[in-house]
Amino acid sequence: MESVVKPDRSEILSALRVIIAPGQITELRALHVSSPRYRAPHTVSGYFDHDHLDALADAAVEVSPHAMGVYFVPNPINPDLQARAYNRVIDCGKNDPTTSDKDIESRRWLLIDLDAERPKGISSNASEHGLALETAGAIRDFLSTEGWDVPILADSGNGAHLMYRINLPREDDTLIERCLKALAFRFNAHGVTIDPSVFNPARIWKLYGTVARKGDNTPDRPHRLARI
């Protein structure tokens, strides 16, 4: 058994301060949570403004050891939704609402998610993980030659992320979807694929500084910290 990986509060805060703009509302959402207080697997959710990112980081650190994954919404959310859970998190029932596409005010980020191919429900091994990061670097270099700005390059724990700053309306005439499909056509190869489904504006994204937990934490397929 590998040593237990713990969330990193400073990493969470530094990432959020890069991604979440002043005046912006984001949702913290933890999936498949099971804790001594509420053992049945469930979702934990809360809405935080830019002035309370410290409180978000504290909540993420607390829930991360009990969740399969901890996520946030990078694009700006309708501030009215903060009344669901005001700078705090709550346990959500099956029918409790979370952020939907119609709740997003605009598209501020183009998200590219590179998955290491492996059986479902387990962490990637070192080779799979490294190949995903290497492919992300190749995509970044290619897009740079096409005049794109430098993105955020991140380790998702099991694969790799690229985040490009954009400024588009919520309804983008499928531009983001088409962009992801074009990149997948060019860069999908044996061992790594670009997830074409992350085009919707309310997409949740792995919260950097928290731990990716899929399956058991084993020497060959360990749990890892997601980080920029």
Side-chain angles (χ1 to χ4, degrees), residues 68 116-124 128 158 214-216 221:
M68 185 184 74
E117 291 183 347
R118 63 195 188 280
K120 290 185 178 180
I122 62 174
S123 299
S124 59
E128 294 161 348
N158 287 308
K214 287 192 175 180
D216 286 343
R221 296 186 177 275

Side-chain angles (χ1 to χ4, degrees), residues 170-223:
R170 181 180 64 207
E171 303 300 332
D172 70 335
D173 195 28
T174 73
L175 176 60
I176 300 300
E177 181 179 9
R178 288 181 281 122
C179 179
L180 292 177
K181 288 180 178 178
L183 289 171
F185 180 80
R186 185 179 182 96
F187 286 98
N188 278 5
H190 180 67
V192 179
T193 57
I194 293 173
D195 186 348
S197 70
V198 301
F199 60 83
N200 66 301
R203 174 61 50 173
I204 56 173
W205 206 238
K206 182 64 62 64
L207 179 58
Y208 306 119
T210 63
V211 182
R213 290 185 172 85
K214 287 192 175 180
D216 286 343
N217 185 26
T218 70
D220 289 338
R221 296 186 177 275
H223 295 165

Side-chain angles (χ1 to χ4, degrees), residues 65-95:
H66 309 291
M68 185 184 74
V70 182
Y71 303 83
F72 73 112
V73 178
N75 287 321
I77 297 170
N78 177 357
D80 290 342
L81 267 64
Q82 201 174 13
R84 290 176 177 169
Y86 189 76
N87 294 314
R88 66 187 184 98
V89 293
I90 58 174
D91 297 312
C92 294
K94 186 176 182 180
N95 298 318

Side-chain angles (χ1 to χ4, degrees), residues 69-188:
V70 182
Y71 303 83
F72 73 112
V73 178
N75 287 321
I77 297 170
N78 177 357
D80 290 342
L81 267 64
Q82 201 174 13
R84 290 176 177 169
Y86 189 76
N87 294 314
R88 66 187 184 98
V89 293
I90 58 174
D91 297 312
C92 294
K94 186 176 182 180
N95 298 318
D96 288 337
T98 53
T99 307
S100 65
D101 288 341
K102 63 181 176 56
D103 299 318
I104 298 299
E105 295 189 316
S106 63
R107 292 176 182 263
R108 194 165 284 170
W109 293 99
L110 165 62
L111 309 173
I112 304 173
D113 182 11
L114 292 94
D115 294 323
E117 291 183 347
R118 63 195 188 280
K120 290 185 178 180
I122 62 174
S123 299
S124 59
N125 62 29
S127 176
E128 294 161 348
H129 184 231
L131 185 58
L133 291 168
E134 181 182 329
T135 305
I139 294 171
R140 175 199 57 193
D141 294 345
F142 166 73
L143 292 177
S144 293
T145 65
E146 297 295 315
W148 290 46
D149 288 337
V150 176
I152 293 172
L153 172 61
D155 180 347
S156 67
N158 287 308
H161 287 167
L162 291 165
M163 298 183 67
Y164 284 90
R165 183 73 167 85
I166 59 174
N167 182 18
L168 290 172
R170 181 180 64 207
E171 303 300 332
D172 70 335
D173 195 28
T174 73
L175 176 60
I176 300 300
E177 181 179 9
R178 288 181 281 122
C179 179
L180 292 177
K181 288 180 178 178
L183 289 171
F185 180 80
R186 185 179 182 96
F187 286 98
N188 278 5

Side-chain angles (χ1 to χ4, degrees), residues 8-24 26 49-58 72 74 108-109 152 163 165 207-209 228:
D8 185 331
R9 186 179 185 276
S10 62
E11 178 78 22
I12 294 170
L13 265 179
S14 63
L16 288 170
R17 286 170 176 160
V18 169
I19 297 167
I20 304 301
Q24 182 177 341
T26 187
D49 54 53
H50 187 270
D51 293 335
H52 291 85
L53 295 180
D54 288 271
L56 189 161
D58 289 339
F72 73 112
R108 194 165 284 170
W109 293 99
I152 293 172
M163 298 183 67
R165 183 73 167 85
L207 179 58
Y208 306 119
I228 292 178

